[in-house]
Structure formats: structure tokens, C-alpha cells
Amino acid sequence: MDLSPATTAVTAGRPPRVQGGPVNPPVVLSSTYVSQGVPGPELLYTRGGTETWAPFEEALGRLEGATRPAVVFGSGMAAVAAALSLVPDGGVLVVPRHAYQVSLGYADDLAARHGVEVRRVDITDTDQVIAAFDGADVALLESPTNPMLEVADLPALLAAARAAGVRTVVDNTFATPLGQNPLALGADVVLHSVTKYLAGHSDVVLGACVTDDADLDATLRAYRTLHGAIAGPFEVWLALRGLRTLHLRVERAQANAAVLAARLAEHPAVAQVRHPSLPGDPGHERAARQMRGFGAIVGLRPIGGAAAADAVVAALRLWVPATSLGGVESTLERRRRFATESPTVPEDLLRLSVGVEDVEDLWADLDQALRAVL
Ligand SMILES: Cc1ncc(COP(=O)(O)O)c(C=O)c1O
């Protein structure tokens, strides 16, 4: 049956429908399995595989429109490391100049320790990115980017990369599989920080890669086992429980985000708002063309610079000052509080992760905090 993503989120990875059987897959907490003699394909040892990963991997693979299950990892960064293991020593890696800062740090580490040439590009400048593909091995793409919310022309970039023989890895954390499916546009690997929207409750750290390619799938699974980059069964079980409501949470969060972005754009204490839903946003047209929905991350620069931004964070009562994103609760942070954040990210940029609370409560809190620092 051809099911919609909402139905897939609810139904994929359920145990067989048998009289007296459980509706949910069990969580199996066992590091080892009964085994003697020459090992076969059956489960042997949890670093190599456990039945508790399979339902989540199946559900995420289907949500990304893949022909095979996802590969779950112990964190989003473990998934990034696994995907970037496709870059050979001395090879060339293209990355966005603005992207999740630890992914960029990982690229720098590949440069320092493995002689990789890292080309940082403005992901919104399609010609510049395509020029950087020349002679490259792998491109890591993010769209919308963290934290700048830049939108790349993914169909054009993925087609150009394929023509140039460049392997592509798309970090789909911000958009979620409901917002876009990069494999259908020609990406080789899609990755997620499952920690964010997929799990959705700020209670686990997990990652995943998805690919349609049998060789890449085998490479990613081998990386996971060899590096021990595995997820605990209980965390994966929790992530599947979170995934069941992905569509409801994302629909509500992005509707809230669009309302807040539009109101913030009119607020006297605001210098700039970034959200692809805003008709004047530089990413609006592309996002409207290639995404379903505009996501629930908002960029906000209050009038008064970094000090004002810090004061807004301190004046909020409902919004939680915290890093990370994609949970049911609304959080925010000034990204340049991290010395490692890209220096071209403005000092005063607040990244808002809009949750699923009542939008009027969220607005009232933002409005009072912004007015307090005017
Ligand atoms: C876009 C993006 N990719 C990857 C990661 C890394 O994921 P994790 O924190 O689960 O290791 C993050 C974390 O913030 C992220 O925002």
C-alpha cells in the first residue's frame, strides 16, 4: 500500500499483527545472544546489531523514501563521521561555510589529520558550489543551514554533483523527512541528528544515515561496527516512540514558527528575522519550490547587538535557554556564545527552535522580553 508520510510515521516498524502479539516492538536489553559454532546471519553481539534498532531503521528508511532501512548511530556526529568516511585521505570535501559547527569542525579535523582539502562554499550561490565540485570527492550539503537558514538549490546541486562524479551527503536534520527527501533528488546519503525532530523530546542523543546504494549501506554499517558508533537499544526505542508523532509535532511547530516570524518582522525591537516562510526571505522562493513546509527554526537579530540578544534570552520565562533544537519545548540561544561558531555568523543572531506550545503564550513571552530590552 502507498501510505502518506503521516501514516508511515505511525505504522512503520510495528511487529506482525498476530493474536496476542504486542502492538509495539519490544526493547531488548542484551549485549549478547545465544550462539555457538560458526556464526551465521543471526544476532550475535549488540555492537554488530540488535533487533531493537530494526523497527526504527525501517520507519526512517521509509520516511526518507529509501529502498532500504536507515542505519542508526549513537549520535548525529557519529552519522556525520560515518558519511564523511567516504572522503579518501588526501581527497577533496565541499562543505557549506555555514553549517552545524561541529560538522565543520569534523571537516577541519579531516584536513589536519588526513590531508583532506576542505572547500567552504556559500550554499546559496549555486554557480560557486558547482565550481567547487570540480575534482571533489564528496559534498556535505545542508539546507536550510544551521544556524543561518540559507536555502540551497538542492535539485540543481545534486544533479550537478552526480554529473561531476561527486558523492553527496545531505544533512536533513532541519527539514526532517516530512519537509524534503534528498534521496529522491539524487543524494547518495541523507543524514539526521535523530536527537532533534525525529526523537523530538530532548531526551536522547542519536543519529542516522539513509542510502539507497547497497555498497554505501554496507560501508556505513561496517563503519558503525568498526568504530563502535552504536546506539543503545533503549534510546532507539524512545526515538521510535517519538517518531510516531513526528507529523503532528512538525506541523504544529512550523505553523507556530511562521506566525512568530511574521510578527517578529513587524516588532520595533527587531533588526532582522530569518524564516523561509517570510515572502521577503532570501530562501523563500527556493523553499516554497522544493520543500513541504518551511521548518520551525527562526533566526532573530534584535536591535542593540549581542548584549541585547543576551538580555532577551535572560528576560524570557517560557522559552528555555538551551542548545539543541527540535524538541516539543521552545528553546533559543545566541550562537556566537560558542567560540567555535563560524565568524561570519552575526554576533547577535539568536537561533529559535519553535516548539508545540500555544503560539499566543510563546508570542507573549517573546514580546515582553524584546520590549524589556528596547
Ligand atoms: C544540523 C545538525 N547536524 C548534525 C548535528 C549533530 O547531531 P548530534 O548532536 O546528535 O550529534 C546537529 C546537532 O546540533 C545539527 O544541528
Side-chain angles (χ1 to χ4, degrees):
M1 231 195 296
D2 210 9
L3 300 175
S4 76
T7 309
T8 300
V10 174
T11 58
R14 297 267 181 205
R17 217 182 244 253
V18 294
Q19 182 78 357
V23 169
N24 289 307
V27 56
V28 177
L29 297 175
S30 186
S31 61
T32 192
Y33 292 80
V34 179
S35 168
Q36 58 184 324
V38 179
E42 71 278 0
L43 293 171
L44 182 80
Y45 184 57
T46 293
R47 180 159 34 71
T50 155
E51 59 271 74
T52 311
W53 293 343
F56 176 80
E57 291 187 330
E58 184 193 327
L60 180 55
R62 295 220 343 237
L63 282 171
E64 281 294 3
T67 51
R68 53 186 72 245
V71 187
V72 70
F73 288 91
S75 69
M77 277 314 301
V80 169
L84 295 190
S85 74
L86 299 175
V87 188
D89 284 6
V92 177
L93 170 64
V94 178
V95 297
R97 69 185 170 133
H98 301 131
Y100 176 52
Q101 57 164 342
V102 186
S103 301
L104 295 180
Y106 191 82
D108 290 344
D109 189 59
L110 287 177
R113 298 195 310 117
H114 296 275
V116 170
E117 181 194 336
V118 177
R119 297 179 183 162
R120 290 194 183 213
V121 291
D122 175 353
I123 204 80
T124 65
D125 183 342
T126 304
D127 291 341
Q128 185 193 122
V129 183
I130 291 175
F133 285 162
D134 187 29
D137 296 285
V138 175
L140 171 67
L141 307 177
E142 246 186 57
S143 180
T145 57
N146 181 1
M148 295 290 275
L149 295 168
E150 297 145 325
V151 180
D153 187 342
L154 279 184
L157 293 183
L158 292 169
R162 187 143 288 229
V166 179
R167 285 258 161 94
T168 46
V169 177
V170 178
D171 187 329
N172 210 23
T173 301
F174 269 35
T176 86
L178 305 179
Q180 65 194 12
N181 296 124
L183 293 178
L185 303 175
D188 292 303
V189 178
V190 170
L191 72 83
H192 285 278
S193 169
V194 176
T195 314
K196 314 300 197 249
Y197 291 100
L198 299 181
H201 295 75
S202 307
D203 50 9
V204 294
V205 173
L206 280 179
C209 289
V210 197
T211 180
D212 264 335
D213 182 296
D215 291 340
L216 289 179
D217 183 72
T219 302
L220 294 166
R221 286 179 197 279
Y223 180 100
R224 177 173 69 183
T225 305
L226 288 171
H227 292 254
I230 63 158
F234 191 59
E235 278 81 354
V236 180
W237 187 87
L238 273 176
L240 181 63
R241 190 162 93 154
L243 194 75
R244 298 300 186 208
T245 55
L246 178 68
H247 51 301
L248 300 175
R249 290 183 285 104
V250 167
E251 269 168 32
R252 174 63 172 263
Q254 66 187 7
N256 282 353
V259 169
L260 296 178
R263 291 186 191 174
L264 285 168
E266 305 292 320
H267 199 283
V270 170
Q272 195 194 11
V273 186
R274 286 294 307 259
H275 189 250
S277 70
L278 296 170
D281 189 89
H284 176 72
E285 268 179 38
R286 271 186 194 157
R289 214 170 37 233
Q290 72 194 27
M291 292 177 70
R292 300 174 291 266
F294 296 106
I297 307 295
V298 175
L300 169 62
R301 299 176 67 190
I303 286 169
D310 283 338
V312 169
V313 173
L316 287 163
R317 296 178 202 129
L318 183 60
W319 291 71
V320 184
T323 198
S324 199
L325 54 101
V328 288
E329 67 290 321
S330 294
T331 60
L332 85 170
E333 68 176 340
R334 186 172 70 81
R335 285 302 292 178
R336 287 290 299 280
R337 74 195 177 102
F338 297 107
T340 45
E341 183 56 272
S342 184
T344 44
V345 169
E347 276 284 1
D348 55 4
L349 178 75
L350 294 172
R351 186 188 68 193
L352 278 58
S353 171
V354 180
V356 302
E357 303 92 334
D358 186 289
V359 70
E360 296 306 333
D361 291 336
L362 292 175
W363 173 247
D365 195 28
L366 269 180
D367 182 46
Q368 67 77 22
L370 284 163
R371 285 182 195 281
V373 300
L374 245 189

